[in-house]
Amino acid sequence: MRKNIVCLLAGIFLASLLAVSLTPAPALAADIQLNYANFPPAPTFPCVQMERWKEEVEKRTNGKVSIKTFPGGTLLGAKNMMDGVINGQADIGCLCMAYQPGRFTITNATSLPLGIPNAKAGSMILWDFYEKYQPEAFSKVKVLAMFTTAPSNIMSKVPIRTLEDIKGVDLRASGGAAQILKAWGANQVGMPMSETPEALQKGVVDGLFSSLEVMKDFKFAELCRYATFTNSAIYPFSVVMNMDAWNKLPGDVKKVFEDLRVEQSKWTGEYMDSQVEESIAWSKKTYDVEFIELDGAESANWNAKLAPITEAWIKNAEEKGLPGKQIVEDIKALKAKYAN
Ligand code: DTR
């Protein structure tokens, strides 16, 4: 009898040992937890780059830092991103400068029609340009990345082949790109990208002006069966961090974040360029979207309309006390360096 009890107890002991060894150890909570806000939906490029950054940070800090991401405007929206980060509503946020054009005058100069050819070059140009000017607009935050979209093109429900066709068409764009649409005679409607799907669906607008990856990422190809290549303005973006949250980070974590800045900016530019290619192919295959190339003479007419925009921007900047001419010269020089 006693022997039986001993055997039973030994069995229970062994079984519990086995159970303990098979139960996965609870993950150790990270020492540092940071919230990262983003305004568009998860499948779009600003959020894809956010997830990539999160993964790299968590890996490179060996789990010491954990990032909780909030896509789709669930923590901060397109227009209150900068203030929300400054006020500490989020530790980190991703913003599109075109949505507050007056606030980011210097960096928004990269949106002028200066022929930046792709997002990779755009992102490197923007980074160097930001480093040189260190604009006041970013003085209350720590900048973690700077990148741009690929050049903008028209996506529309009606075919646009000539300046006559675009006249009066309701097209959505923000910031510097809005000036471009106006110059071509469209009826420009301003709103952040996150509001555009509903505006297209409800017929508030007949199309938009943006980089073409949105045809696939937002499924705009379903409604916009035409795209006209103009390869005009890029849109600059930034990822910014609350200054107190930054100051609290230990040195080794700060180093990881700083070392990632240029790498992340370049990665995002390259990702965006590849998404544009994929989106064009997908839109043709899935919705038979027609991609319209302006012929030589027509294209010259379109470009002629844009010539006064940069001159007007320089004049306006100089009136505000900014070195407008130098800013444009610098962007052109950086374009020559990175656009090959
Ligand atoms: N072209 C800008 C920015 C932009 C381009 N792709 C996306 C995707 C998600 C949000 C913003 C953007 C724009 O039209 O707003």
Side-chain angles (χ1 to χ4, degrees):
M1 178 68 178
R2 226 180 119 202
K3 205 170 150 199
N4 280 352
I5 292 174
V6 171
C7 279
L8 185 69
L9 287 177
I12 292 172
F13 177 68
L14 282 177
S16 50
L17 265 189
L18 193 67
V20 167
S21 66
L22 290 179
T23 315
L28 287 176
D31 299 342
I32 301 162
Q33 298 189 340
L34 300 171
N35 290 335
Y36 187 151
N38 220 324
F39 64 95
T44 63
F45 94 96
C47 293
V48 172
Q49 73 76 34
M50 168 171 77
E51 294 301 330
R52 187 264 174 186
W53 188 85
K54 164 193 160 81
E55 223 170 81
E56 289 302 318
V57 162
E58 291 179 349
K59 199 166 67 194
R60 294 179 195 195
T61 60
N62 295 316
K64 190 169 172 178
V65 176
S66 130
I67 310 287
K68 190 161 165 39
T69 55
F70 294 83
T74 45
L75 185 56
L76 289 172
K79 289 193 177 178
N80 64 348
M81 192 59 76
M82 187 60 149
D83 286 329
V85 169
I86 291 173
N87 300 335
Q89 286 166 269
D91 299 307
I92 302 170
C94 173
L95 60 98
C96 177
M97 298 171 210
Y99 304 157
Q100 290 184 293
R103 184 170 195 166
F104 302 105
T105 313
I106 296 181
T107 37
N108 267 329
T110 54
S111 275
L112 289 166
L114 298 171
I116 293 177
N118 54 51
K120 183 181 170 196
S123 301
M124 302 318 290
I125 291 168
L126 177 63
W127 181 265
D128 281 12
F129 181 70
Y130 159 73
E131 288 263 80
K132 172 168 180 187
Y133 282 91
Q134 304 274 328
E136 180 64 27
F138 293 95
S139 63
K140 292 190 180 143
V141 291
K142 174 73 184 176
V143 171
L144 298 180
M146 286 264 168
F147 45 81
T148 76
T149 65
S152 300
N153 295 294
I154 299 166
M155 291 154 257
S156 51
K157 296 178 183 174
V158 292
I160 295 176
R161 302 176 200 283
T162 62
L163 282 174
E164 204 45 48
D165 292 340
I166 195 174
K167 217 177 261 172
V169 180
D170 297 320
L171 294 175
R172 171 267 158 204
S174 290
Q179 299 301 315
I180 294 179
L181 283 186
K182 281 186 202 157
W184 288 331
N187 180 30
Q188 177 266 331
V189 184
M191 69 184 79
M193 182 60 86
S194 32
E195 291 168 22
T196 308
E198 198 182 328
L200 271 174
Q201 233 136 34
K202 290 193 170 157
V204 174
V205 292
D206 301 318
L208 72 152
F209 187 54
S210 171
S211 44
L212 290 169
E213 93 293 348
V214 292
M215 288 290 260
K216 179 164 185 256
D217 290 351
F218 280 94
K219 307 277 178 291
F220 288 154
E222 195 181 347
L223 294 168
C224 298
R225 297 298 172 89
Y226 301 91
T228 306
F229 284 117
T230 61
N231 287 322
S232 343
I234 53 96
Y235 282 69
F237 278 67
S238 180
V239 178
V240 295
M241 181 166 184
N242 174 273
M243 207 47 117
D244 290 339
W246 167 256
N247 286 332
K248 272 191 225 145
L249 293 178
D252 56 336
V253 172
K254 277 187 177 159
K255 180 163 178 358
V256 169
F257 284 22
E258 288 200 316
D259 289 351
L260 257 169
R261 290 178 307 168
V262 175
E263 180 192 319
Q264 180 70 14
S265 305
K266 189 167 164 213
W267 185 93
T268 307
E270 284 171 346
Y271 173 78
M272 154 66 74
D273 289 330
S274 70
Q275 285 304 102
V276 167
E277 292 300 312
E278 203 177 307
S279 172
I280 293 173
W282 179 87
S283 304
K284 284 182 184 164
K285 194 168 136 228
T286 317
Y287 289 107
D288 199 22
V289 171
E290 184 188 351
F291 284 82
I292 300 163
E293 301 265 5
L294 300 174
D295 72 28
E298 189 61 34
S299 174
N301 288 339
W302 287 59
N303 288 336
K305 298 267 181 206
L306 303 188
I309 292 180
T310 303
E311 284 313 310
W313 187 89
I314 292 175
K315 189 162 169 279
N316 194 273
E318 306 258 342
E319 276 165 15
K320 284 190 194 158
L322 293 169
K325 202 166 158 39
Q326 187 60 45
I327 285 175
V328 170
E329 286 311 314
D330 283 340
I331 296 172
K332 286 184 182 165
L334 286 167
K335 185 186 128 188
K337 177 173 171 193
Y338 287 112
N340 39 32

